[in-house]
Amino acid sequence: MNKNRRNFLLGTSAVATTAAVAGYKDTLKTAVTMSRNGKAVDDPIYTNSLLTEGKVTNKFIKNDNFSIRTSVCNGCTTHCGVRVKVDNKKEEVVKVTGNPYSPLSSDPWLDFNTPLSESFKVLSKDSKLSSLYRSTACARGNVVFDKINDKLRVLKPLKRVGKRGENKWIEIEIEQLLEEVTKGGNLFGEGEVEGLSSIRDLKTPLKQSNPEMGPKANQLCILGTGDEGRKAFMVHRFRNAFGTVNYQGHTSICGLSMRSGEAAYLGDFKKYPHLKPDFEYCEYLLTFGTAPGQAGNPFKRQAKLLTKGRVNENLKCVTIAPMLTNSDNIAVGDKSEWIPILPGGDLAFAMGLLQVIIKENLYNEKYLSIPSKEAQTSLKEASFTNATHLIIQDKDDNSKVLKIDNKELVIDEKDGVLKEASIVKQAKLFVDDIVLYKNKTYKVKSAMTLLKENAFEYDLEFFSNECGISKDKIIQTAREFTSHGRKAAVDCHGGTMHTTGFYTTYAIMMLGAMIGNLNYKGGMSAGGGRYKDFKGSKYNLISYDGKIKPKGYRIDKTRVAYEKTAEYKQKLSQGKNPYPAKDTWYPFTNALESEIVANSANDYPYKLKALISWNANFIYGQSGMQNIKKLLENPKTSIPLIIAIDPFINETSQYADYIVPDSVIYETWGITSAWAGHQTKINTLRFPTIKPKQATFKNGEPICMDSFMIELGKKLNLPSFGKNAILGKDGKKYPLNAAKDFYIRAFENIALDKSGVPNISDKEISLANLEPYVKTLKDICGENWRKTAYIMARGGRFENKEDGYIKNKLVHKYENMINIYNQTVGTSFHSMTGERFHGTPRFYLARLNNGEFLNKVYPKQKYPILAFSYKSNVLSQSTASSTKMQEIRFSTYIDMNPKTAKKNSLRHGDMVKISSEDGVVTGMLRYRNGIYPECIGIEHGLGRDAEGAVEVKINDKTFEARIARKSGVNINKLGLLDKSRKLATLSDFVVGSNARQAIPVKISKV
């Protein structure tokens, strides 16, 4: 440590000590004299600390007052593996710690076959290995379980008795709810509502004039949230049995711009794969916004690996963001750097980096010249690109890759001859020529040439002005990034959620292609994957007799090109210009939760008749939704029947007609895997660690998503539930009458995958407190019950750490081609403007869907400030009902650079109003030096309008609003409408992801 840094730390330490002594004399006196002051505690040293879960001598001795079971924390979307401590007398969760077998809670993690007793010994205070295998839960994980006992939790089915959104409810029996939602009728005294039984019509077209929209069954839409371990059940068991094409998750309001940009780069718009850096062995990490320790997924693991990489290895982390984040740390010296950037300026910065890399020949030419999988194998490379593939520039087949008999053609670098890519080791990288093949000429450009043209469309000065980063810094960053061989990586996520986020991500990922870092140790990884769970060696849990492949248009207008619609064809037949369409279509987007309400209200492409919302909260999470939610107040205008499955009354479920209770956190079943950022197989299991608190069906099953869909499915006579619903690989059939029938069989699949796992001993069953599950395991798994219990005791199945690498490459590789040019994108058109999309990254100014620039629509003279959101390191959308979380983070603020604040005559602590064209928020101003001038930043997670923040009436009891639940600011209330569309929120112009970053606003003192 240098002298200046040492003096700085000593100085701040002295100041802190002086302040503490001066401010807390009474507290200090009490502590020093060991006297008691205030409320008496159980012990003067340990106060009211919990008894330990066991004692370690030469072995681990369990405390029988507690049960320690493994589970999954749902405090955020990382879904870490944890150990849950349950007070056996109170039947309550009292503590959560990390699971030492899980890579999401430990690094390194224990060998999977480590005995359970040894896992407790290793973590004991006297163990020499305790710091090595230390397994933790973050701030969220430590407290969020208290929402299990929240007073406003929904424990019985609710039916609205007032108008939608009035929050007036009565409790009803689940059987009544099932009867009403399936049969329909005049359910609310507002007119007839069609029931689900009638809606499930697989033969009648929902629009007789346009049968390609599919059957009437498509008028049911199901909204989910992130995959917290039960998505497969909802999608395959209910959605595919009902026959609707409409299931949407939360991606469009979370990180769709990132997911779609990476899907373009990886050439897969079906599975939407994505990449993460190999943090531990990376030497240079360029992270755009999603800073480890502040944000990112897996949240806790990224932060841990960042620390290890900087301390034990040679990692430098460079964060490009409008705000200084937790990733930057003075203690790590030159291994950390913050590059301040204008909100929304990341596309310009990435394109500037690409320009410098190409101009200065900093790219890996030998790697980019590999044209095929055959050449990759021959050269012992880890991946290959289509940089040398030829893109047709002629009018016929324009923008298509030149292929003959479905085989790509390239120009051999060795002799300059046009050949099939599969027989060429090194192809010509830059091509702009006319080629002759089998007596036919083609005007072609290579993918790399097209990328170069887009990178040089504007000069570096232009890119510098657009991103707010100097030319010298762009040049320096490009040189430094390319100086580490394959051990450099990039990352991005929610910061790309603006109107040009798709191309932003595509450009950021392209930086990795320039150095060839995919599948290399220290480079980029698609993750280690998972063991076979829902479709495994014993059961195929996602298949069944009578399963339907839904067909027709989706309500969100995704996965279909406008040019294939009847509307387009009709206009052509009438001799009209087919553009613009009535509204935007998204040909390669997977799903858009953010479009369904307005689309249904607009009856385009059609009107929904029912919505099942499962733990979804788009009203809180969607930027600009304050302008759309009013549609939900009128069932006839938007969606006539809304059923919410939710343990709490959130901003979205308060507009439902019925609310079905769901289990909470450690009461639930599920199987998750790490999102990315891991090089080994991971399956994390969740099963009830405590008895669910909600009401039950007559068969004793607690009312939750899984049991409700089973009973609703039976009521609708769906083939996916009940007797003989589950197919075994041996030809046998098994019942599906309860959640355990599905999930325990999935656990069994995992236990049997590959060579399988050992049988668990009776001693380990006791240590893992699995005795209540033994009979169920024997009944369902037969001879495999001990193997299934073995992975339940360890919280899942986790491949050992050393199995992730072979020398300098990853074991689990992404096998498909990297797309320097994506033909699907390059041959698609914008349905409103008719413009062809570019198949390689290209710079676009922030814009509306019709091409109008935001800086013209919202001029800087009127809206001089840009607002952005940033991820909280403690809050998340799912923590609102945690009272203990408020003790950690009570409120959120409007963060502004002091210079900008003073320029606007604002002081730290002032109450201010932030206004956009379509929204307003008020909050407390907080000075923050580490923020880009002329910007404001708002931490995401508070500023709630539900889950206790507003008054609710249930039966004859009124629950008053809690001011603490309403504390803070929600930036999404500043969100904009797209003025070029009919009632739609601002979105990415290519893929439709909700635009919540770089919102033009103005500020004034309240």
Side-chain angles (χ1 to χ4, degrees):
M1 180 184 294
N2 67 46
K3 185 177 179 180
N4 288 339
R5 179 165 288 113
R6 180 174 180 274
N7 289 339
F8 169 79
L9 293 174
L10 289 173
T12 53
S13 216
V15 170
T17 304
T18 303
V21 172
Y24 299 97
K25 289 181 180 178
D26 292 339
T27 304
L28 185 63
K29 179 182 176 182
T30 302
V32 171
T33 61
M34 300 299 291
S35 60
R36 293 181 180 242
N37 187 17
K39 188 176 180 180
V41 294
D42 295 337
D43 187 280
I45 303 295
Y46 300 109
T47 64
N48 294 337
S49 298
L50 294 170
L51 294 173
T52 62
E53 43 266 54
K55 189 165 125 184
V56 175
T57 53
N58 61 334
K59 63 178 181 179
F60 176 71
I61 303 170
K62 186 178 71 166
N63 184 343
D64 290 331
N65 291 315
F66 303 100
S67 294
I68 307 297
R69 296 193 179 101
T70 58
S71 190
V72 178
C73 174
N74 283 345
C76 75
T77 55
T78 297
H79 306 307
C80 294
V82 294
R83 278 176 167 170
V84 180
K85 182 178 181 179
V86 179
D87 185 313
N88 290 333
K89 289 183 181 179
K90 297 180 180 178
E91 292 189 11
E92 288 186 357
V93 176
V94 293
K95 181 183 175 183
V96 173
T97 58
N99 177 2
Y101 292 96
S102 168
L104 296 183
S105 288
S106 305
D107 193 275
W109 54 98
L110 292 177
D111 183 287
F112 185 67
N113 291 322
T114 301
L116 278 188
S117 58
E118 188 65 23
S119 75
F120 288 103
K121 285 175 64 179
V122 162
L123 297 179
S124 67
K125 66 182 180 67
D126 296 323
S127 169
K128 294 180 180 179
L129 298 174
S130 62
S131 60
L132 179 66
Y133 290 105
R134 185 168 179 259
S135 193
T136 59
C138 73
R140 278 184 290 255
N142 270 286
V143 300
V144 73
F145 59 84
D146 75 328
K147 68 182 187 176
I148 293 171
N149 299 310
D150 187 70
K151 292 180 181 178
L152 281 175
R153 182 177 166 187
V154 178
L155 297 175
K156 292 190 67 176
L158 299 178
K159 178 181 179 179
R160 70 174 172 92
V161 291
K163 295 180 180 179
R164 276 204 189 154
E166 284 187 341
N167 260 325
K168 295 178 182 178
W169 310 87
I170 56 168
E171 293 178 334
I172 61 174
E173 296 301 319
I174 190 65
E175 290 76 19
Q176 178 188 339
L177 187 151
L178 284 168
E179 185 75 7
E180 292 184 6
V181 302
T182 52
K183 290 188 176 180
N186 188 4
L187 303 175
F188 308 99
E190 300 168 346
E192 291 295 308
V193 177
E194 191 168 354
L196 294 176
S197 292
S198 174
I199 295 171
R200 189 183 182 258
D201 182 340
L202 300 172
K203 296 181 180 178
T204 305
L206 64 88
K207 283 194 174 181
Q208 295 289 344
S209 61
N210 195 353
E212 63 188 4
M213 289 191 180
K216 189 178 174 183
N218 285 346
Q219 290 179 292
L220 167 67
C221 179
I222 304 167
L223 282 185
T225 180
D227 187 3
E228 43 81 272
R230 297 184 288 169
K231 178 181 173 182
F233 186 92
M234 175 64 89
V235 171
H236 292 283
R237 282 283 156 183
F238 184 80
R239 193 283 297 262
N240 284 91
F242 189 93
T244 177
V245 75
N246 288 309
Y247 176 90
Q248 283 91 351
H250 80 152
T251 308
S252 73
I253 61 174
C254 177
L256 174 61
S257 52
M258 178 276 293
R259 294 294 302 272
S260 57
E262 296 201 27
Y265 178 72
L266 296 171
D268 190 346
F269 283 117
K270 290 184 178 180
K271 295 181 179 179
Y272 264 64
H274 64 282
L275 305 176
K276 281 285 181 181
D278 180 20
F279 291 96
E280 192 165 4
Y281 298 106
C282 183
E283 292 181 0
Y284 188 86
L285 173 59
L286 205 56
T287 177
F288 288 73
T290 180
Q294 181 77 45
N297 191 342
F299 170 71
K300 193 170 63 180
R301 176 169 171 77
Q302 281 189 180
K304 192 169 288 190
L305 292 182
L306 174 67
T307 302
K308 292 181 71 173
R310 291 201 288 209
V311 174
N312 300 332
E313 302 293 335
N314 194 33
L315 171 62
K316 177 178 179 179
C317 180
V318 180
T319 304
I320 302 99
M323 187 189 76
L324 180 65
T325 69
N326 292 339
S327 288
D328 197 50
N329 193 317
I330 194 171
V332 298
D334 59 5
K335 289 189 174 182
S336 179
E337 183 182 2
W338 171 44
I339 302 178
I341 189 171
L342 278 167
D346 35 10
L347 176 55
F349 183 60
M351 294 304 295
L353 293 174
L354 287 169
Q355 183 182 117
V356 175
I357 289 170
I358 295 171
K359 181 179 180 180
E360 298 189 2
N361 297 318
L362 300 175
Y363 53 87
N364 188 331
E365 184 175 6
K366 184 176 181 182
Y367 166 75
L368 289 169
S369 299
I370 299 171
S372 65
K373 175 67 76 173
E374 290 82 0
Q376 173 198 323
T377 303
S378 174
L379 295 171
K380 297 181 180 179
E381 263 290 353
S383 66
F384 77 103
T385 78
N386 66 356
T388 60
H389 293 192
L390 305 176
I391 318 304
I392 298 171
Q393 304 298 300
D394 301 315
K395 186 175 180 180
D396 293 338
D397 295 324
N398 186 271
S399 298
K400 291 184 177 180
V401 177
L402 180 60
K403 296 181 182 180
I404 302 297
D405 298 328
N406 208 33
K407 295 176 181 179
E408 295 88 353
L409 301 179
V410 296
I411 297 176
D412 194 328
E413 180 64 39
K414 188 185 297 182
D415 56 18
V417 176
L418 190 66
K419 301 176 183 177
E420 291 179 10
S422 60
I423 62 172
V424 176
K425 283 189 178 181
Q426 292 276 280
K428 192 173 181 181
L429 191 54
F430 292 98
V431 178
D432 182 358
D433 207 349
I434 295 175
V435 297
L436 177 67
Y437 192 81
K438 292 188 176 180
N439 297 320
K440 186 174 181 180
T441 59
Y442 301 89
K443 170 63 178 171
V444 295
K445 293 181 181 180
S446 66
M448 193 65 180
T449 295
L450 293 177
L451 176 64
K452 180 179 179 180
E453 288 178 353
N454 284 345
F456 283 82
E457 184 176 4
Y458 303 96
D459 62 26
L460 200 58
E461 183 75 28
F462 174 87
F463 289 137
S464 173
N465 291 334
E466 287 299 318
C467 67
I469 300 172
S470 70
K471 290 195 298 180
D472 288 344
K473 177 55 70 174
I474 296 174
I475 294 168
Q476 177 197 332
T477 305
R479 290 171 179 171
E480 194 169 1
F481 175 76
T482 54
S483 68
H484 294 267
R486 310 299 180 98
K487 289 193 172 186
V490 295
D491 199 12
C492 63
H493 201 134
T496 65
M497 292 291 282
H498 47 71
T499 64
T500 57
F502 166 77
Y503 278 115
T504 296
T505 302
Y506 198 2
I508 291 170
M509 290 298 113
M510 199 62 68
L511 296 170
M514 295 300 99
I515 58 174
N517 63 5
L518 181 59
N519 299 327
Y520 272 92
K521 190 175 185 178
M524 296 293 283
S525 161
R530 59 200 293 171
Y531 292 97
K532 294 179 180 178
D533 40 36
F534 298 114
K535 186 177 181 181
S537 61
K538 185 71 186 289
Y539 311 98
N540 186 347
L541 295 164
I542 60 175
S543 182
Y544 44 87
D545 294 338
K547 185 177 182 181
I548 296 165
K549 186 176 181 180
K551 57 186 178 181
Y553 296 167
R554 293 166 54 88
I555 184 66
D556 53 12
K557 307 189 299 299
T558 62
R559 307 186 196 181
V560 175
Y562 166 60
E563 292 73 23
K564 293 183 178 180
T565 66
E567 177 188 344
Y568 177 88
K569 295 171 184 175
Q570 185 180 43
K571 286 181 178 179
L572 280 185
S573 67
Q574 294 171 350
K576 297 179 180 178
N577 181 352
Y579 301 101
K582 290 181 182 178
D583 197 9
T584 315
W585 293 75
Y586 303 96
F588 44 84
T589 300
N590 60 352
L592 289 173
E593 176 188 48
S594 46
E595 295 276 316
I596 65 161
V597 175
N599 287 358
S600 180
N602 294 335
D603 195 11
Y604 184 74
Y606 50 84
K607 191 174 184 65
L608 291 175
K609 292 189 173 180
L611 172 70
I612 296 177
S613 171
W614 166 42
N615 287 339
N617 197 359
F618 56 88
I619 289 180
Y620 176 74
Q622 181 174 338
S623 182
M625 196 58 194
Q626 74 275 6
N627 301 291
I628 304 293
K629 69 179 183 180
K630 59 188 176 184
L631 294 174
L632 292 174
E633 295 173 1
N634 186 343
K636 295 178 181 179
T637 300
S638 56
I639 305 168
L641 177 63
I642 300 179
I643 306 161
I645 306 171
D646 207 309
F648 304 99
I649 304 175
N650 66 26
E651 285 85 348
T652 300
S653 55
Q654 67 186 0
Y655 286 92
D657 301 308
Y658 299 90
I659 300 180
V660 178
D662 197 10
S663 297
V664 174
I665 201 161
Y666 302 123
E667 300 170 344
T668 61
W669 296 86
I671 301 174
T672 63
S673 186
W675 214 65
H678 63 106
Q679 316 313 335
T680 53
K681 291 181 182 293
I682 295 177
N683 298 69
T684 313
L685 310 185
R686 192 173 70 246
F687 51 93
T689 61
I690 57 172
K691 183 180 178 180
K693 296 185 180 296
Q694 63 270 34
T696 63
F697 285 94
K698 289 180 179 179
N699 63 3
E701 285 295 307
I703 302 170
C704 61
M705 182 279 285
D706 319 82
S707 59
F708 176 67
M709 303 323 293
I710 290 171
E711 298 306 320
L712 177 60
K714 290 179 180 179
K715 192 89 173 172
L716 295 170
N717 295 313
L718 302 186
S720 50
F721 304 106
K723 186 179 180 181
N724 297 326
I726 293 175
L727 300 179
K729 289 294 186 71
D730 57 2
K732 294 181 181 179
K733 296 182 179 180
Y734 305 89
L736 178 47
N737 295 311
K740 62 187 177 184
D741 296 332
F742 181 82
Y743 292 103
I744 285 181
R745 286 186 169 89
F747 296 174
E748 186 181 355
N749 274 342
I750 296 168
L752 297 177
D753 195 23
K754 301 297 182 180
S755 56
V757 302
N759 290 323
I760 196 170
S761 65
D762 290 339
K763 179 183 176 183
E764 289 205 340
I765 287 174
S766 176
L767 281 175
N769 300 102
L770 290 176
E771 294 92 342
Y773 285 95
V774 169
K775 183 180 184 305
T776 300
L777 286 167
K778 287 180 178 178
D779 291 344
I780 292 177
C781 305
E783 64 181 8
N784 295 322
W785 79 269
R786 285 188 180 271
K787 294 184 185 300
T788 307
Y790 190 89
I791 66 169
M792 290 173 69
R794 285 156 177 76
R797 189 171 177 188
F798 312 103
E799 194 175 24
N800 291 332
K801 182 166 184 172
E802 60 269 19
D803 296 332
Y805 303 94
I806 297 180
K807 295 182 179 179
N808 68 332
K809 295 185 179 71
L810 308 182
V811 169
H812 302 290
K813 298 183 179 70
Y814 184 78
E815 297 291 352
N816 295 341
M817 177 182 71
I818 291 175
N819 284 233
I820 305 297
Y821 175 85
N822 187 289
Q823 179 174 285
T824 299
V825 178
T827 55
S828 296
F829 297 84
H830 194 282
S831 61
M832 302 295 283
T833 65
E835 64 187 304
R836 187 193 294 273
F837 295 129
H838 280 253
T840 64
R842 180 179 185 256
F843 179 79
Y844 290 87
L845 287 170
R847 53 180 276 177
L848 300 179
N849 243 269
N850 67 354
E852 288 184 82
F853 298 140
L854 290 193
N855 59 12
K856 301 295 184 185
V857 180
Y858 309 108
K860 193 171 180 65
Q861 294 83 355
K862 185 177 181 181
Y863 298 104
I865 294 168
L866 291 177
F868 66 92
S869 67
Y870 63 92
K871 197 77 170 280
S872 172
N873 61 332
V874 291
L875 300 169
S876 74
Q877 190 161 304
S878 59
T879 61
S881 293
S882 171
T883 300
K884 288 184 178 179
M885 183 59 70
Q886 292 163 11
E887 298 174 13
I888 299 173
R889 187 66 52 82
F890 184 81
S891 191
T892 56
Y893 306 91
I894 295 167
D895 292 328
M896 177 177 270
N897 189 295
K899 292 182 179 179
T900 306
K902 291 171 184 176
K903 179 181 171 183
N904 287 273
S905 301
L906 299 171
R907 301 177 64 183
H908 179 76
D910 281 349
M911 291 299 295
V912 296
K913 179 172 75 172
I914 308 297
S915 305
S916 71
E917 183 80 4
D918 297 309
V920 175
V921 297
T922 58
M924 184 178 289
L925 184 74
R926 180 170 67 176
Y927 281 3
R928 188 163 190 153
N929 285 299
I931 195 167
Y932 205 100
E934 310 303 326
C935 298
I936 61 166
I938 299 176
E939 181 179 14
H940 180 65
L942 291 180
R944 304 303 298 259
D945 290 319
E947 294 193 48
V950 295
E951 182 179 288
V952 176
K953 187 174 182 179
I954 301 176
N955 299 331
D956 294 323
K957 185 174 181 180
T958 298
F959 295 86
E960 299 293 335
R962 304 181 199 173
I963 193 167
R965 293 280 173 95
K966 204 171 182 65
S967 176
V969 184
N970 179 11
I971 192 174
N972 288 330
K973 293 179 181 179
L974 293 172
L976 300 171
L977 291 172
D978 188 326
K979 302 291 193 273
S980 68
R981 299 177 62 193
K982 183 181 178 181
L983 203 56
T985 54
L986 190 66
S987 62
D988 180 281
F989 81 101
V990 179
V991 295
S993 50
N994 185 227
R996 67 170 183 266
Q997 305 289 8
I999 303 296
V1001 298
K1002 57 186 177 182
I1003 187 169
S1004 60
K1005 187 175 179 179
V1006 175

